[in-house]
Amino acid sequence: MTSKTIAKYALCALAMGLAMFGAARAQAQNLVIGGKNFTEQLLLSDMTAQYLHAKGYDTELKNGLGTTLMRSALESGQLDIVWDYTGTALIVYNHIEDKLDPDQIYQKVKELDAPRGLTWLNQSELNNTYAFAMPRELAEKYQIHSLQDLAKRINEDDSEGNKPHLMGVDYEFASRPDGLGPMQALYGFKLDRSEVKQMDPGLVYTALKNEQLFVGLTYASDGRIKGFDLQLLEDDKGYFAAYKATPVVRQDILEKNPELAGQLNELAAKIDTATMTELNKRVDIDQEPVAKVAADFLKQAGLI
């Protein structure tokens, strides 16, 4: 073999090596971001895609998924990054119904997912848990700020024959073993069956807005809380599990991208319940596009 031929083969090998390195680097930086099929998840996934794109990653967005479908896609490697909720992981994915405080829930789901190759990064201060809400005028009229206040008012009115107190809940919460029955037992009040109105979750908000309900089951960061001027009631006995929004990433993706964990943790640190409620309101009530609301947040937070 001549020196010219050797040189030719060496150049080819170098070119192939560079091509393989470039392909591996591109593969490591191409991130598929998933999201569920409601406003908050559309926002979280979109802002993550925009944020990481600004950091130099190639991003692909696959949102609008159901909860179990998104989880399956993450476990099977079809998704690289999602935002999920600690309470969802504990109860839905792992079927644990023990009463744990927010940090215990986070540590538990983090521990359970590690052998599955999934890493829970820093949890945000966004807690999209169940919550009961009232029309603000009614809450102020009766000085009801917590579930204990609500229980006291219901019991006092019952003793005086002042009924009914209409409560709107979704169909699942009305009958499940960790739903309405145990909640009433913990807080020490009892509604008649005629006082509990089972309805689609979205209709609860409309009925509260129109003061057709005394109280209703909502989600703590839903934009309609602010848009419809509702008063969230404090869960002062800690009945509901925490649903802290947290970036969940496949471990192999973190290994390929050593700066990614820190970048996502920086994003998580900027998100809390009040902020997300306002962002959700802008989409659901003010009818602004998800991508615009997400971009505005990232700019205002100094992330892009």
Side-chain angles (χ1 to χ4, degrees):
M1 187 179 291
T2 65
S3 60
K4 186 179 289 188
T5 303
I6 292 171
K8 180 180 178 182
Y9 274 108
L11 287 172
C12 287
L14 177 61
M16 289 178 63
L18 289 172
M20 290 174 66
F21 173 78
R25 186 170 182 270
Q27 184 179 21
Q29 291 190 338
N30 183 45
L31 303 175
V32 183
I33 299 155
K36 302 181 190 182
N37 55 0
F38 55 93
T39 298
E40 182 167 291
Q41 281 278 313
L42 298 177
L43 281 164
L44 286 169
S45 55
D46 199 299
M47 68 174 62
T48 303
Q50 291 190 46
Y51 171 63
L52 293 179
H53 182 74
K55 294 290 186 183
Y57 299 91
D58 291 328
T59 58
E60 181 181 355
L61 190 57
K62 292 185 178 180
N63 55 21
L65 306 174
T67 294
T68 54
L69 180 59
M70 188 188 80
R71 171 69 176 196
S72 296
L74 181 66
E75 290 185 351
S76 65
Q78 297 174 69
L79 299 175
D80 299 325
I81 302 166
V82 304
W83 284 80
D84 218 333
Y85 303 94
T86 53
T88 302
L90 186 78
I91 297 166
V92 178
Y93 306 149
N94 293 293
H95 310 291
I96 297 172
E97 296 182 0
D98 298 344
K99 290 294 183 184
L100 304 175
D101 68 33
D103 287 336
Q104 289 174 325
I105 295 175
Y106 171 70
Q107 293 299 333
K108 188 66 175 178
V109 299
K110 188 174 183 178
E111 171 191 327
L112 289 169
D113 267 353
R116 299 167 181 151
L118 304 179
T119 298
W120 288 69
L121 298 178
N122 293 354
Q123 56 185 338
S124 74
E125 289 303 314
L126 164 58
N127 184 15
N128 191 12
T129 188
Y130 286 108
F132 277 93
M134 294 178 62
R136 188 174 300 279
E137 285 190 9
L138 278 181
E140 291 177 353
K141 176 181 178 180
Y142 294 111
Q143 291 296 295
I144 299 174
H145 305 291
S146 69
L147 289 178
Q148 288 199 87
D149 292 341
L150 175 69
K152 181 181 178 183
R153 167 56 57 180
I154 289 173
N155 290 332
E156 287 177 354
D157 284 352
D158 283 353
S159 68
E160 297 171 5
N162 298 325
K163 293 187 113 179
H165 302 90
L166 296 183
M167 173 184 283
V169 298
D170 62 44
Y171 301 99
E172 180 187 9
F173 188 78
S175 58
R176 73 188 201 192
D178 62 339
L180 180 59
M183 190 275 285
Q184 291 185 100
L186 176 65
Y187 279 99
F189 70 96
K190 179 67 175 176
L191 294 176
D192 292 341
R193 182 173 297 182
S194 63
E195 294 179 284
V196 179
K197 302 301 179 184
Q198 299 180 42
M199 56 182 68
D200 180 87
L203 294 178
V204 173
Y205 294 92
T206 304
L208 285 169
K209 176 187 178 186
N210 296 331
E211 295 193 11
Q212 295 168 307
L213 294 172
F214 189 72
V215 64
L217 183 70
T218 64
Y219 295 95
S221 58
D222 194 291
R224 288 166 290 190
I225 298 291
K226 186 170 184 178
F228 293 168
D229 195 26
L230 305 179
Q231 173 67 57
L232 286 180
L233 304 183
E234 182 188 354
D235 177 19
D236 36 0
K237 291 191 175 183
Y239 179 72
F240 294 116
Y243 284 73
K244 302 290 282 293
T246 308
V248 186
V249 189
R250 288 177 29 230
Q251 181 59 35
D252 60 315
I253 295 298
L254 291 176
E255 292 170 357
K256 292 174 183 175
N257 299 276
E259 296 182 356
L260 181 60
Q263 291 162 337
L264 289 171
N265 284 336
E266 184 179 3
L267 173 59
K270 299 287 187 178
I271 299 171
D272 58 27
T273 305
T275 298
M276 187 52 66
T277 301
E278 173 61 24
L279 299 180
N280 287 333
K281 171 187 171 292
R282 288 178 59 184
V283 174
D284 288 335
I285 305 298
D286 303 336
Q287 299 296 300
E288 295 184 51
V290 167
K292 178 183 182 301
V293 174
D296 287 349
F297 163 76
L298 292 171
K299 291 172 186 173
Q300 290 167 6
L303 293 167
I304 61 173

